[in-house]
Amino acid sequence: MAENKPAGGEPKRPETPPELPGLGWRYIVWVIAISAFMYYYWSTTTDSGLHQSIAYSEFKARVRADAVTKVTLQGERVIGTYRAGAVPAQGNQTRSSTTFTTTLPPVNDPELIPLLEQHHVEIDNKPTEAPWWLQAIMALIPWLFFIALFFFISRRVSERFAQGGGLFGFSKSKARLYRKGTMQLSFDDVAGLDNAKADLREITAYLKSPERYRKLGAKIPRGILLMGPPGTGKTLLARAMAGEADVPFFSISGSEFVEMFVGVGAARVRDMFIDAKKSAPAIIFIDEIDSVGRARGTGLGGGHDEREQTLNQILNEMDGFSAHEAVVVLAATNRPDVLDPALLRPGRFDRKVVLDLPDKKARLAILKIHSREVPLAADVDLERLASLTVGFSGADLENLVNEAALLTGREEKSQVDMNTLMAARDKVVLGARRENVISEAEKKVIAYHESGHAVVASLLPHADPLDKVTIIPRGRALGATEQIPEEEHYNLQQSYLRDRIGVLLGGRTAERLVFGEVSSGAEDDLKQATRLAQHMITHWGMSERLGPVAFRRGEEHIFLGREMAQARDFSEHTAQIIDDEIRKLVKEVEQEVIQLLTAHRTQLDALATALLEKETLGASEIRQLVSG
Ligand code: ADP
Ligand code: MG
Ligand code: ZN
């Protein structure tokens, strides 16, 4: 059996609508200007209203009187020019003209040409009418103008509503199609994420030769879900896959489905799947699927009917794949917790690929990728920078390098040095430096607050080592105490978590010890400490009283209302105990911190004094002050 594929029958949706030439405002102005000019030109060469009209006999009389220097013959019309000084005064015409027109008699006058020659009148000939091409253009101009205007407006409209289709293309899928070679990215541009890359390679391999896998009875995943915190490279990885895959790659963002009229999202899904099936084997990528894939029935996020329809359509389409249709759906989200469970069922997005924040090795690789085009000074140690950026996502690291390049440019240096990179790191972590005026009294409170964090962090055995303390306000913070773990933590010990709460409470406790009262500056510390304690008790079974039980509190679902009530799976009584246990844990830790700081008051004072003087203290300075 011969394979029968019509040539050019593949659906193709270019990334941008085809350019219609001459459809900007500038072009319309040109069309108007040119038509106005042509009209003027044509009318001045044919117009008779400007000339004095005289009888034919009079014309001949004037020629005989040598009063005419030039005539232009245009069909039966004659336009003549009087000799200077020979312009006759005309009784009934106020306007004295140097030109005149007259009309030739219907029968040819054999006398005329010899007469003109005899009196040395210059003779010129003009075609009767505007030339045909000019006439054609003149006739077309209004039409061209309207057509141009129509396209211009329709393009404006469709630009706002859809990238594809024209004025009437609203329901067309807006998926961008990448064919092999159109996407420059490859997996080499993605650092780390080796597991994820391996998974995706497997899929590409399957799409290349589906038969081989089918013979082995292997079921190929229909859907792959990329999950991970923002900025970990989900979109990047998908784009790299488009570059690697040998098959058409349809890409759309979840939010694009839900953009407009009700019902359009579902239609777009259908169109996109139809397109993909026609060009199978193919890959469909739905970015930020949580914007359509949120659990149904929550009534959240606005326009939920539309969203539910769209989601249902996705589910239908994925179920509708027949076994021989090699279409794989790739999706990405940073909120897997809010996804509708139906999406995660077998036969749909049953393969999950988790993208973690990069570890040190991956951070180094990411820094290398993004500093490829940045001239680095000799003192730059990317390895050290990588170890000082625990918790940074790929996007943060990219941002760091860019901030450093911007800073370097501002200082008019030609190379990015290590100091600048470190300054950029602080900016990414803490926000831009603020230049607000803080009174001495306030400064003192802030200095003690930060010193409290720092002393506790230095003295508690399980706390992460200190990197620096500063009372320079940045972003929203008035000061900062930075700790940098030596290694990434993958598993958190109870002792470590308790000490972390201790460090968080250190600031507030120091204020209370020194000034006898607390300030509002500890809001964030308290929030973090409470959240940590909550997690320890409800998720990690770290309360003796409650025992090794995990509770589902509503807090993963940030929305209130129905879902919250559904999410809590314990009794009112247990809720009471949980609250008590959280409070008890935090208070216990607070007691330890109070004792610690009271016993080390001298160190606290020394650190605060040094901070007031220098504003920023590094790790070694802090160590010295605390130990001696
Ligand atoms: P997500 O979609 O997961 O929120 P993106 O893929 O949009 O994140 O990543 C944002 C940017 O961060 C990317 O454009 C890329 O420049 C950078 N980035 C993130 N992760 C990596 C990585 N592993 N390797 C290289 N660059 C990365
Ligand atoms: Mg993304
Ligand atoms: Zn604090």
Side-chain angles (χ1 to χ4, degrees):
M1 242 182 359
E3 197 160 301
N4 203 351
K5 204 167 193 185
E10 281 179 294
K12 176 160 185 169
R13 186 148 295 117
E15 216 175 332
T16 46
E19 278 288 322
L20 282 156
L23 296 183
W25 273 118
R26 263 182 310 152
Y27 298 106
I28 290 178
V29 169
W30 268 109
V31 169
I32 296 172
I34 290 173
S35 46
F37 171 77
M38 283 188 159
Y39 183 74
Y40 174 75
Y41 172 78
W42 181 63
S43 64
T44 50
T45 52
T46 53
D47 183 21
S48 54
L50 292 170
H51 315 291
Q52 187 188 50
S53 188
I54 56 174
Y56 183 66
S57 53
E58 197 184 340
F59 160 59
K60 278 171 90 173
R62 291 201 180 154
V63 172
R64 277 190 205 100
D66 278 332
V68 179
T69 58
K70 182 183 170 187
V71 293
T72 304
L73 304 174
Q74 193 174 48
E76 60 183 12
R77 242 161 66 97
V78 178
I79 300 167
T81 311
Y82 292 123
R83 183 182 304 284
V87 183
Q90 280 253 326
N92 61 347
Q93 258 175 311
T94 48
R95 182 171 56 136
S96 86
S97 173
T98 57
T99 55
F100 62 87
T101 69
T102 188
T103 309
L104 294 176
V107 285
N108 203 8
D109 178 359
E111 266 180 38
L112 181 63
I113 301 299
L115 179 73
L116 291 173
E117 278 171 351
Q118 194 187 334
H119 291 270
H120 308 287
V121 178
E122 200 184 310
I123 306 172
D124 197 5
N125 268 300
K126 267 258 164 90
T128 331
E129 284 167 310
W132 65 269
W133 54 268
L134 190 57
Q135 282 187 3
I137 290 174
M138 292 306 299
L140 279 177
I141 277 171
W143 290 105
L144 284 178
F145 177 75
F146 281 115
I147 290 169
L149 197 66
F150 173 79
F151 275 113
F152 178 72
I153 290 169
S154 79
R155 219 169 69 142
R156 268 296 166 95
V157 169
S158 59
E159 253 169 29
R160 294 183 73 172
F161 295 138
Q163 285 165 349
L167 181 53
F168 311 107
F170 294 138
S171 75
K172 288 276 179 226
S173 97
K174 297 195 328 176
R176 286 166 295 270
L177 170 60
Y178 301 101
R179 291 182 175 286
K180 188 165 170 56
T182 54
M183 174 58 78
Q184 304 298 333
L185 283 176
S186 75
F187 282 154
D188 291 340
D189 296 292
V190 185
L193 304 177
D194 294 327
N195 294 337
K197 279 194 230 174
D199 271 339
L200 296 186
R201 280 218 176 87
E202 197 182 308
I203 302 295
T204 357
Y206 156 71
L207 287 174
K208 248 185 231 167
S209 45
E211 276 313 316
R212 205 175 77 212
Y213 288 80
R214 219 171 283 138
K215 274 184 197 142
L216 292 168
K219 278 215 184 69
I220 300 306
R222 287 254 173 277
I224 302 144
L225 186 62
L226 302 175
M227 334 190 279
T232 41
K234 297 177 295 294
T235 308
L236 179 74
L237 195 62
R239 281 159 38 105
M241 185 166 179
E244 295 265 328
D246 277 322
V247 301
F249 188 96
F250 295 81
S251 166
I252 194 164
S253 167
S255 53
E256 287 172 312
F257 281 135
V258 200
E259 208 169 59
M260 250 199 40
F261 306 132
V262 175
V264 169
R268 282 198 185 133
V269 172
R270 199 172 44 238
D271 281 347
M272 185 176 66
F273 277 83
I274 289 172
D275 284 356
K277 280 179 196 172
K278 268 193 235 163
S279 40
I283 299 171
I284 291 176
F285 173 54
I286 306 175
D287 205 356
E288 284 153 42
I289 195 172
D290 46 290
S291 59
V292 278
R294 272 182 202 279
R296 284 168 291 188
T298 54
L300 295 158
H304 56 280
D305 277 350
E306 163 68 0
R307 235 194 30 215
E308 281 183 17
Q309 280 184 30
T310 308
L311 175 59
N312 286 336
Q313 190 69 39
I314 294 178
L315 296 176
N316 280 341
E317 294 289 349
M318 290 188 77
D319 289 342
F321 285 147
S322 51
H324 61 271
E325 270 167 337
V327 176
V328 170
V329 185
L330 189 66
T333 180
N334 44 33
R335 296 296 310 275
D337 53 321
V338 301
L339 285 186
D340 196 300
L343 269 175
L344 305 175
R345 275 220 316 260
R348 291 167 185 166
F349 292 102
D350 48 358
R351 175 84 65 101
K352 294 174 198 72
V353 177
V354 178
L355 279 69
D356 282 318
L357 286 174
D359 59 10
K360 187 180 161 197
K361 198 168 134 244
R363 286 197 301 273
L364 179 60
I366 295 173
L367 284 171
K368 278 184 179 156
I369 286 179
H370 290 292
S371 59
R372 274 192 297 223
E373 259 132 58
V374 178
L376 296 177
D379 71 334
V380 170
D381 183 353
L382 287 183
E383 190 135 0
R384 192 165 146 248
L385 192 59
S387 54
L388 291 175
T389 44
V390 177
F392 276 49
S393 70
D396 291 336
L397 291 168
E398 184 186 15
N399 188 11
L400 185 162
V401 174
N402 189 48
E403 284 291 348
L406 289 175
L407 272 173
T408 307
R410 203 179 309 151
E411 288 165 10
E412 296 184 6
K413 290 189 284 192
S414 61
Q415 283 183 322
V416 177
D417 56 27
M418 194 65 182
N419 273 340
T420 314
L421 282 167
M422 293 305 291
R425 169 183 163 275
D426 288 350
K427 192 169 172 190
V428 174
V429 178
L430 303 167
R433 202 177 154 139
R434 269 189 318 185
E435 299 294 340
N436 38 2
V437 189
I438 293 175
S439 72
E440 284 305 312
E442 265 184 302
K443 243 188 190 159
K444 200 171 166 196
V445 175
I446 297 167
Y448 268 100
H449 179 107
E450 297 306 331
S451 300
H453 287 309
V455 170
V456 176
S458 311
L459 296 175
L460 285 178
H462 306 288
D464 287 325
L466 272 169
D467 179 51
K468 73 165 158 200
V469 184
T470 174
I471 54 168
I472 296 172
R474 280 164 176 286
R476 275 177 50 243
L478 293 169
T481 303
E482 281 182 50
Q483 293 164 274
I484 295 193
E486 271 149 2
E487 282 299 319
E488 258 93 345
H489 298 287
Y490 293 106
N491 194 18
L492 305 169
Q493 297 291 339
Q494 196 173 355
S495 51
Y496 170 80
L497 292 166
R498 277 183 81 104
D499 283 3
R500 195 138 140 188
I501 296 179
V503 175
L504 286 166
L505 294 177
R508 187 188 121 101
T509 309
E511 281 183 47
R512 218 169 65 175
L513 271 182
V514 176
F515 304 102
E517 60 172 351
V518 293
S519 72
S520 65
E523 178 178 341
D524 234 44
D525 296 338
L526 295 184
K527 234 190 250 170
Q528 281 190 49
T530 311
R531 219 175 50 209
L532 215 56
Q534 220 167 51
H535 240 77
M536 288 169 71
I537 282 160
T538 57
H539 286 62
W540 298 329
M542 290 177 182
S543 149
E544 285 307 318
R545 190 163 160 215
L546 286 163
V549 183
F551 299 99
R552 190 167 135 98
R553 289 190 131 213
E555 91 260 21
E556 286 109 318
H557 298 262
I558 45 173
F559 336 103
L560 303 169
R562 253 187 293 173
E563 209 179 0
M564 184 91 169
Q566 284 167 0
R568 208 181 83 172
D569 58 3
F570 45 84
S571 67
E572 201 51 47
H573 176 66
T574 311
Q576 190 68 49
I577 302 179
I578 290 176
D579 287 345
D580 288 349
E581 284 293 288
I582 293 171
R583 209 169 304 126
K584 192 175 131 231
L585 171 61
V586 177
K587 281 197 147 176
E588 267 173 32
V589 177
E590 192 192 20
Q591 280 309 312
E592 284 171 37
V593 172
I594 291 174
Q595 278 172 16
L596 200 67
L597 284 179
T598 319
H600 295 84
R601 177 65 196 260
T602 12
Q603 280 98 321
L604 183 67
D605 288 336
L607 209 55
T609 315
L611 257 185
L612 278 170
E613 190 193 320
K614 292 186 176 170
E615 297 203 322
T616 301
L617 297 175
S620 57
E621 287 167 296
I622 303 168
R623 216 173 304 127
Q624 252 174 18
L625 285 165
V626 174
S627 63

